[in-house]
Amino acid sequence: MYAELQKKLDYVTACRENRTKVAQEVLENASLFEELVFICFSPSDKNHHRACWVLEFVSYEELIWLQPHLDFFCSNLKILKEESAIRPIAKVTQHLIKAHYKKEENGIVLSEDNLQNCIEASFDWLINDVKVATKAYSIRTLYILGNHYDWIHPELQIILNKDYADHSAAYKAVAKEVLKKIE
């Protein structure tokens, strides 16, 4: 199975159509999913960023598949260093946090340790030198978490106000939206 998934990942490009095709193959063969998650958090694997791209697309359809892997996923967020891997994982993290706090039963349950790992990674991504998309996902994730941890919104407010002038229009739009919600 590992060799089969690696072959598929070798041909994944940043093209949305291409990522969707491989994600669809994983969705049709769930036995590939565990290996996909493992590759995402194996930075020495030449395809780990491609695996992250595919995981993002798989999570749109089957986020629940991550439930048995949440301890592994959340505890390894901090090992990602490459922007092309961090961005899709930040998006998946945002989806997980949203799903965890949704009112209706959806099956996603994060432990306190998982939540703490998501908080730490999101703050790291927000304050470090990553691209605006990752920062935007982190801001929105932290906003949701701040509705349940009263110390997060004040910290997020400080960071957003301090960094506001130094960022792009896209960052400013998200920051403004979230700051308005916090106030």
Side-chain angles (χ1 to χ4, degrees):
M1 277 306 177
Y2 183 74
E4 178 187 340
L5 182 57
Q6 279 292 356
K7 273 190 233 165
K8 291 178 189 313
L9 292 173
D10 280 338
Y11 294 100
V12 172
T13 65
C15 171
R16 183 175 193 83
E17 182 182 322
N18 191 272
R19 290 180 285 160
T20 301
K21 180 178 181 264
V22 176
Q24 192 58 47
E25 290 178 36
V26 172
L27 288 165
E28 291 169 6
N29 187 356
S31 63
L32 296 173
F33 186 75
E34 184 173 357
E35 196 62 46
L36 179 69
V37 173
F38 179 76
I39 294 169
C40 286
F41 295 98
S42 301
S44 61
D45 188 308
K46 67 180 170 55
N47 287 325
H48 97 100
H49 64 287
R50 292 179 176 123
C52 294
W53 297 346
V54 172
L55 180 64
E56 176 189 356
F57 280 54
V58 171
S59 74
Y60 294 149
E61 301 294 323
E62 292 293 350
L63 188 63
I64 192 67
W65 286 5
L66 269 170
Q67 184 64 51
H69 308 285
L70 287 176
D71 290 341
F72 176 80
F73 180 93
C74 295
S75 66
N76 282 292
L77 291 172
K78 62 188 164 284
I79 72 165
L80 298 176
K81 302 296 182 220
E82 197 177 319
E83 176 70 33
S84 59
I86 294 172
R87 191 215 48 81
I89 295 302
K91 181 77 181 242
V92 173
T93 302
Q94 180 185 341
H95 289 310
L96 285 169
I97 296 299
K98 276 184 181 175
H100 174 76
Y101 287 114
K102 265 192 172 168
K103 300 287 183 244
E104 68 266 6
E105 190 60 39
N106 58 32
I108 297 295
V109 179
L110 293 154
S111 70
E112 187 59 32
D113 281 346
N114 295 156
L115 291 167
Q116 291 303 319
N117 285 323
C118 290
I119 292 168
E120 183 181 332
S122 294
F123 270 117
D124 285 348
W125 295 332
L126 179 57
I127 62 174
N128 287 325
D129 189 25
V130 294
K131 291 185 180 170
V132 69
T134 301
K135 289 182 182 290
Y137 299 140
S138 298
I139 291 167
R140 289 188 171 119
T141 298
L142 289 167
Y143 171 74
I144 295 165
L145 286 160
N147 292 328
H148 304 278
Y149 294 88
D150 58 2
W151 65 270
I152 292 177
H153 282 169
E155 291 296 319
L156 183 57
Q157 233 173 344
I158 290 167
I159 293 167
L160 294 179
N161 283 321
K162 180 176 79 65
D163 292 349
Y164 189 83
D166 300 329
H167 284 286
S168 69
Y171 177 95
K172 288 177 181 176
V174 173
K176 186 177 180 181
E177 166 198 324
V178 168
L179 284 168
K180 190 175 179 181
K181 288 179 183 177
I182 290 173
E183 295 164 359

